[in-house]
Amino acid sequence: MNTRIGHYVRALGSAALVALVVACAGLGPRSGMAEPIAAAAERASDPCPPASGFCEQRITYEALGAEPPGAQAACPPESGSCDTPVSSMANDTEGATVARHLQERYDEKLSDCRKNSSDPKPLPALLCSGILLRVTARGPGFDTWNPNPANAQPRGVSFSWLRRDSGMQRFAFNFANGYIILPFFYADTPSDGFTQLTVLCGYPVDAATNGRRSAENDGCGPTPNIANSGPCQAQGITTSARWIQLFGAGQLYGNQCGFNLKPGSAASGVFAQFALIRNALGARAFAIPTEIKIGAWTVGDTRIPLEAFFYLTGTTGLAEAKANQGDFRVRTGRWVPVIQMTLPTVQNGPASFRYVAADQQVR
């Protein structure tokens, strides 16, 4: 059970709010920080509002009696704006903090996400835990963090979810770079300024969603002419044992059902089956990435909750990750780090996430 505090620390009261700090000057709101977020009421007096794209107030780890995330830059005391560039040292501190939080989320074993220990409506674990990422390739006239305009399922965007108990040895198409989205629990308050992304459905392994069909055109429908390949819960498939019974000996990809993860679907229990299914499949699943469909957002949206760009260690992905970081700063005014990622080599094995100053196109 996840009793993670998330942004639901509003009950801490005024004493904790003494620890509010302002992170400014080029650091996008939260910029990957997995700390709790303050309530909208506390943000009202912020001299550098989150809407500027450069600042936010947040409760530091000290307020919770935990390790501080590192020094934060302060808003210019007299100008009331956040236009002053942050120093490379501050960005290096921020980047190292993002890498640390990614490592923590990869190693977590949360079964679900809860506002508090007595929350009667837990949410799927990917909303507060693990790494939600999308691999990309650069192309002319196209920013990689936008939905692909050539997508056969235009209302759904494919991501993978990575955690130690749901690891993978490669990404889709063997791509070596992409970007990471901040978990919903850390970007779900409108006052934070982020566009609210919606998780639609999920598959324990790549589901060949371009070939699936549904009225929504979001990749969550059945594969034509393959029995039981529609949404799992609608067919009474809610356990790993039943999923394995129906699909474990098959070819996977289009021959599997996907779990409905939309808001209101009571999906925390079924999403907990992901790790069980992947571990039951063993080496077959480890060789295939997971697939999560996210509702498409508007092309050119500068408030996408993008946490970091990444590349795989020992690949040529760094050049594209750096170029994407530079483009993102120009398009949005936000700085997010490039993170070096090393995937596990064995099922349920360790992965690593490192911030390297020399990897940054912009510092």
Side-chain angles (χ1 to χ4, degrees):
M1 176 183 65
N2 176 21
T3 56
R4 176 192 292 283
I5 300 178
H7 77 282
Y8 300 94
V9 292
R10 298 178 176 91
L12 283 175
S14 59
L17 296 179
V18 173
L20 281 174
V21 296
V22 181
C24 295
L27 303 184
R30 294 190 53 76
S31 189
M33 297 296 92
E35 300 97 353
I37 306 175
E42 284 88 48
R43 296 177 182 278
S45 60
D46 185 2
C48 297
S52 69
F54 294 92
C55 290
E56 69 159 332
Q57 288 183 328
R58 59 177 177 256
I59 295 179
T60 64
Y61 271 79
E62 290 93 331
L64 305 176
E67 178 187 357
Q72 306 294 338
C75 287
E78 298 179 356
S79 68
S81 71
C82 299
D83 296 329
T84 304
V86 73
S87 70
S88 60
M89 182 178 296
N91 276 353
D92 287 346
T93 299
E94 181 83 353
T97 303
V98 171
R100 177 166 59 85
H101 285 299
L102 292 173
Q103 188 69 60
E104 290 171 355
R105 297 206 313 266
Y106 175 81
D107 291 326
E108 284 176 334
K109 298 180 180 179
L110 304 175
S111 59
D112 54 40
C113 303
R114 303 189 180 213
K115 299 176 184 179
N116 53 60
S117 59
S118 59
D119 187 353
K121 296 181 179 180
L123 298 174
L126 85 166
L127 298 182
C128 64
S129 175
I131 315 297
L132 188 61
L133 61 90
R134 176 169 168 80
V135 293
T136 61
R138 289 176 62 83
F142 174 72
D143 289 326
T144 59
W145 57 88
N146 284 324
N148 185 349
N151 185 4
Q153 304 286 345
R155 294 184 181 176
V157 181
S158 290
F159 283 74
S160 288
W161 185 71
L162 173 68
R163 202 170 72 169
R164 186 161 185 153
D165 59 3
S166 295
M168 59 200 74
Q169 65 183 18
R170 68 171 183 86
F171 291 136
F173 312 112
N174 291 311
F175 282 3
N177 73 97
Y179 61 89
I180 298 168
I181 291 295
L182 194 64
F184 178 80
F185 258 43
Y186 306 122
D188 63 341
T189 301
S191 60
D192 296 326
F194 286 124
T195 296
Q196 304 299 295
L197 302 185
T198 302
V199 178
L200 302 177
C201 64
Y203 302 88
V205 296
D206 185 327
T209 53
N210 278 352
R212 291 176 178 266
R213 297 292 178 264
S214 68
E216 293 81 8
N217 287 326
D218 57 7
C220 294
T223 304
N225 303 315
I226 295 184
N228 306 119
S229 61
C232 295
Q233 294 100 306
Q235 305 175 73
I237 304 169
T238 59
T239 67
S240 60
R242 181 59 173 157
W243 196 99
I244 291 293
Q245 180 185 31
L246 290 172
F247 310 113
Q251 296 180 348
L252 301 177
Y253 296 100
N255 184 25
Q256 62 176 304
C257 69
F259 293 108
N260 177 12
L261 303 177
K262 295 175 183 176
S265 61
S268 63
V270 294
F271 187 77
Q273 306 305 302
F274 259 55
L276 300 176
I277 291 170
R278 289 186 64 82
N279 278 274
L281 291 172
R284 292 181 68 202
F286 186 56
I288 307 173
T290 58
E291 185 167 6
I292 307 293
K293 300 299 288 192
I294 304 294
W297 55 96
T298 303
V299 171
D301 187 346
T302 63
R303 305 313 308 154
I304 178 176
L306 196 151
E307 183 175 18
F309 292 99
F310 73 88
Y311 73 97
L312 291 181
T313 307
T315 71
T316 59
L318 174 58
E320 290 208 359
K322 291 174 69 172
N324 291 334
Q325 181 196 46
D327 287 348
F328 189 75
R329 178 62 182 263
V330 170
R331 305 284 193 275
T332 70
R334 294 163 52 195
W335 183 89
V336 298
V338 170
I339 298 294
Q340 179 192 88
M341 182 188 303
T342 303
L343 289 174
T345 57
V346 296
Q347 193 168 26
N348 301 324
S352 68
F353 305 85
R354 296 181 60 231
Y355 173 82
V356 180
D359 289 346
Q360 313 305 306
Q361 177 83 5
V362 181
R363 288 183 61 204

